[in-house]
Amino acid sequence: MDLQTLHAQRSAATGVRMSVHSSKTLKVTMISGQDLYAKAGSMIAYDGYVQFDAPPATLRRSAEEMVTGEGGRLMLCRGDGDLYLADYGGDVLVVHLNNEALSVNGATLLACDTSLQLTIEPVKGMAKLSGSGLTNLVVRGTGWVALVSRGLPISLDCAERETYVDPDALIAWTDGLDMKARRTVKASALIGRGSGEAFQIGFKGQGFVVVQPSEDTGDRFKIRG
């Protein structure tokens, strides 16, 4: 799995499907037959001939709400040219999957190739966090994915030792990592921004976790009863 960039102010690469045009703008090279899913409203510019349509009904039913939040929409982008996307000034991160899977906190997904499969799957080992279980968005296959971060993100290797993350700062992680919830009681006033008990998510295994330097207070996971 190739994290193309985690650096700000990197100019867009030439001849690459997805690249970071600036730290806050995604450039997508559109080619006929290679369609794209993107957040509706994320287009800020394009050149050439690009069309924007509603995605297939099967995608809307399975993943659209997880990506955009309740009432949100995705759009299907197709054509030839250069397409520029952004999401409220968030920093852009580009990842290429090679027959791999990436688990993504829904609202951080900016765009992905339509060749990739989007599914909502249970988050293993996290029942303690909600008492009933959690689900998350998994992007699987071969293709490009663009994520958005509130601030310049960092990638943490989970292979050598267990890594704990504030769930409100979590963007994405390698699918297949071992996960567990940890509850911090005595330090609840110091760890995390909310009141009451503080939770962290532990990751261990061959892979990485991506976090942002800002806590998202929106719904990061979906609770299933």
Side-chain angles (χ1 to χ4, degrees):
M1 192 177 299
D2 176 26
L3 282 97
Q4 187 195 32
T5 178
L6 280 174
H7 304 288
Q9 305 303 328
R10 179 168 176 167
S11 59
T14 303
V16 176
R17 167 67 162 173
M18 285 189 184
S19 55
V20 180
H21 185 69
S22 71
S23 65
K24 304 181 187 302
T25 305
L26 173 70
K27 178 183 178 182
V28 184
T29 300
M30 300 295 297
I31 302 173
S32 293
Q34 297 182 19
D35 298 342
L36 183 81
Y37 291 132
K39 278 187 179 180
S42 63
M43 186 276 292
I44 59 172
Y46 67 89
D47 57 41
Y49 180 73
V50 181
Q51 289 181 294
F52 304 93
D53 300 302
T58 53
L59 174 70
R60 292 201 299 272
R61 293 183 60 175
S62 64
E64 188 171 19
E65 183 175 314
M66 174 66 78
V67 174
T68 60
E70 187 172 355
R73 298 294 304 274
L74 291 174
M75 60 184 178
L76 176 66
C77 312
R78 59 180 69 188
D80 291 277
D82 291 328
L83 173 62
Y84 299 90
L85 304 174
D87 187 33
Y88 295 101
D91 288 271
V92 174
L93 166 65
V94 173
V95 182
H96 183 263
L97 303 181
N98 184 16
N99 195 27
E100 297 166 298
L102 188 70
S103 193
V104 178
N105 270 334
T108 67
L109 181 65
L110 177 60
C112 69
D113 287 333
T114 58
S115 59
L116 294 167
Q117 181 184 12
L118 303 180
T119 57
I120 297 174
E121 300 182 10
V123 180
K124 297 178 181 179
M126 296 302 297
K128 292 181 180 179
L129 190 64
S130 68
S132 57
L134 300 164
T135 57
N136 207 40
L137 182 73
V138 177
V139 185
R140 180 177 284 107
T142 298
W144 291 89
V145 182
L147 308 175
V148 66
S149 169
R150 305 307 170 193
L152 189 64
I154 60 172
S155 175
L156 303 173
D157 190 344
C158 305
E160 293 188 2
R161 55 185 178 181
E162 203 162 38
T163 301
Y164 287 89
V165 174
D166 183 334
D168 292 331
L170 183 59
I171 295 177
W173 65 90
T174 306
D175 190 54
L177 289 174
D178 293 329
M179 300 173 61
K180 68 180 182 181
R182 170 178 287 180
R183 178 184 291 116
T184 304
V185 180
K186 293 182 179 180
S188 61
L190 304 176
I191 301 176
R193 301 298 178 90
S195 60
E197 294 176 326
F199 292 93
Q200 302 91 49
I201 302 176
F203 294 88
K204 187 69 171 66
Q206 295 296 323
F208 61 85
V209 59
V210 182
V211 295
Q212 62 185 358
S214 175
E215 292 183 334
D216 189 338
T217 57
D219 292 336
R220 306 293 290 165
F221 298 95
K222 297 291 183 181
I223 298 176
R224 56 183 174 87

